[in-house]
Amino acid sequence: MNAEELLGSDNQSRLQLLGKDVIPAESIQNSLASDDASLRRDAALAILGRALDTAPAPGNGTLTETLAKTLKSPNIHGGTDVFAAATAAEAAVAALYSIEADAEKMTSDVLLAVVPYTQASQPWTTQAAASVAERLLDRYLPADKEQEFIISDVLQSYLRPIFSKSTSSVTAEGRPALFREPPPEGGFHAQKAGWKEAGLHIVAIFEWAVQTSEPATMKKYWPLYIPVLVTLTEDDDVAIRQRGIDILNAFLTKCPADILRTSGIDSVFQESVFPSLLFLPTLTPEAESVTLLRSAYRTLLTLALADSDPAGKKRRALLDKMLRDGVLAGYFHASQHIRVVEVLMQSVVQIVEALQIYAVKHLQSLLDLFAPVLTDAFALAYAPAVVAAATALNTTILNCWPRMVGTPHAEQVINIVSRCWTNIHDAGNDNISSDLNILTEELKKTMTLLAALWGESDEPLPKERLGEIVQKAPHLKPLFAPFQKGKFAV
């Protein structure tokens, strides 16, 4: 064990500068309890320095408790020196690891204080602190104790009292509510916000619990997770809502599908997440909306696919709703925001693939959705959105092919693709980017699919019509190449 393994570069430099005798042993406890992050940092580094030099640390049991107290409630708010707080926490975690306290001194409260620091993306910790915190938990929470700690100490003793009345969608026991309670005095929003008084690090603790839980644990104790999941996914703060939805997605990937179906919590999750699909500009900033939409569509798709039967009624109903009330409604309200459009088109690909042939009921609506994106010349200014639309079109053709040839849909597709190809041609070779090259290949793929479908059908190919199009617009000839082979020669 050395400083390079436990500390970031800033704390390594500070440790070298301090030396082991700068802070007297009798002053360490007082410095650790200080509100000054720099004093806490130096005190923790002094403990670490002594441990690294194999000098006896004064009162290991007391030090363990004091170091844990410095790690509790790692809230970052206005006026907080984020760097100072994070480096102080890094030093404290490293010191806690270095003293190698006996297992009985490393109580559940101490371990609970360490958990929020395992997530390097949070402002109150660092990459080095996250790595050491994980090693610390691994040391004192072997496999046979880890699940018990999650259930008893994290979910039951710590989180349950905080979230027991934070939502009306489920009971305090975590089961779906048969009837929603009337709003309390002050409204549910005031009550929901109560959990935030304990600090946003609670979200990090719960996320760790979900990520570390085993499927067997979730199967047996699933009601303990539900109030927190629903509360976070319904939060008014977009960042917290998005994070809660991501945690829910992690929960859904582990929780056995039969629990979701038989308990009814799948419907609760659907009602909690679905409103996020309409967090659109201009009420929601575009950047926040894009991030939230990606998470919400991904989680709802995971929820739908929990039913492995493509013909399952609940699966199809959710996927239909995602298309109808999610993608189509979202495009209607935010079609001028091209990055939102990109997310919607990418979501269509996943939803149609999940629906398979059952997507055919939405075929006309989907073609009408793709048309303005693919035919708008100005949309090429952000080509990834147009590429996403072309990919969605091809996915739709692959899954709805029985309704393509011999119907007006085929002619509509040819018209859409031809106009998009013309827009690329008009942009000039000097403006061709890698994204436009990808788009060109997707459009060629569309025509290849149509030609293949016509080849397998008894429907006559409108050769004269295609010949007239190529004659009037020669630049379309490469696009129609699949129709210019063998019996399709025009």
Side-chain angles (χ1 to χ4, degrees), residues 383-413:
V386 189
V387 172
T391 304
L393 173 60
N394 289 335
T395 301
T396 302
I397 294 173
L398 283 170
N399 287 276
C400 303
W401 61 268
R403 290 287 301 274
M404 292 301 301
V405 177
T407 70
H409 300 314
E411 184 175 348
Q412 184 178 4
V413 170

Side-chain angles (χ1 to χ4, degrees), residues 100-123:
E100 299 183 1
D102 295 333
E104 61 269 15
K105 295 176 182 177
M106 197 63 70
T107 64
S108 59
D109 287 341
V110 174
L111 295 175
L112 199 59
V114 173
V115 169
Y117 296 92
T118 59
Q119 299 185 2
S121 61
Q122 299 307 312

Side-chain angles (χ1 to χ4, degrees), residues 255-317:
C255 186
D258 59 322
I259 293 296
L260 298 176
R261 291 193 302 270
T262 58
S263 65
I265 58 172
D266 54 348
S267 298
V268 175
F269 290 149
Q270 179 180 330
E271 293 175 3
S272 297
V273 177
F274 212 89
S276 296
L277 301 186
L278 296 180
F279 274 55
L280 301 166
T282 55
L283 293 179
T284 304
E286 183 175 12
E288 294 182 7
S289 177
V290 165
T291 303
L292 180 60
L293 288 175
R294 289 189 192 280
S295 295
Y297 277 109
R298 178 173 58 248
T299 300
L300 286 172
L301 188 68
T302 301
L303 185 60
L305 296 182
D307 182 353
S308 59
D309 181 9
K313 290 184 177 180
K314 294 187 75 171
R315 167 174 167 153
R316 287 169 52 193

Side-chain angles (χ1 to χ4, degrees), residues 178-364:
L178 296 178
F179 304 99
R180 285 183 176 262
E181 299 177 7
E185 186 176 352
F188 278 123
H189 292 304
Q191 197 173 47
K192 285 181 180 179
W195 68 267
K196 295 182 181 179
E197 295 177 0
L200 295 180
H201 66 286
I202 286 179
V203 182
I205 293 175
F206 180 65
E207 185 172 4
W208 176 85
V210 171
Q211 292 173 343
T212 313
S213 294
E214 296 178 356
T217 301
M218 290 185 174
K219 182 176 183 178
K220 188 174 182 180
Y221 297 100
W222 61 266
L224 295 175
Y225 298 84
I226 309 307
V228 191
L229 286 169
V230 174
T231 300
L232 296 181
T233 56
E234 294 179 347
D235 197 85
D236 294 331
D237 186 304
V238 174
I240 294 176
R241 176 182 286 252
Q242 182 248 317
R243 196 167 171 202
I245 291 174
D246 286 339
I247 297 173
L248 172 58
N249 189 60
F251 175 85
L252 293 174
T253 59
K254 290 186 176 184
C255 186
D258 59 322
I259 293 296
L260 298 176
R261 291 193 302 270
T262 58
S263 65
I265 58 172
D266 54 348
S267 298
V268 175
F269 290 149
Q270 179 180 330
E271 293 175 3
S272 297
V273 177
F274 212 89
S276 296
L277 301 186
L278 296 180
F279 274 55
L280 301 166
T282 55
L283 293 179
T284 304
E286 183 175 12
E288 294 182 7
S289 177
V290 165
T291 303
L292 180 60
L293 288 175
R294 289 189 192 280
S295 295
Y297 277 109
R298 178 173 58 248
T299 300
L300 286 172
L301 188 68
T302 301
L303 185 60
L305 296 182
D307 182 353
S308 59
D309 181 9
K313 290 184 177 180
K314 294 187 75 171
R315 167 174 167 153
R316 287 169 52 193
L318 176 54
L319 293 170
D320 286 340
K321 188 176 181 181
M322 289 171 66
L323 267 182
R324 184 180 60 252
D325 299 336
V327 174
L328 296 176
Y331 183 80
F332 177 79
H333 290 289
S335 59
Q336 69 274 29
H337 297 276
I338 194 66
R339 285 171 177 77
V340 172
V341 172
E342 179 187 13
V343 175
L344 296 178
M345 296 301 150
Q346 292 169 342
S347 300
V348 167
V349 173
Q350 298 172 318
I351 296 171
V352 171
E353 286 179 343
L355 277 170
Q356 300 179 17
I357 187 59
Y358 297 105
V360 75
K361 65 189 291 186
H362 304 284
L363 180 55
Q364 187 59 60

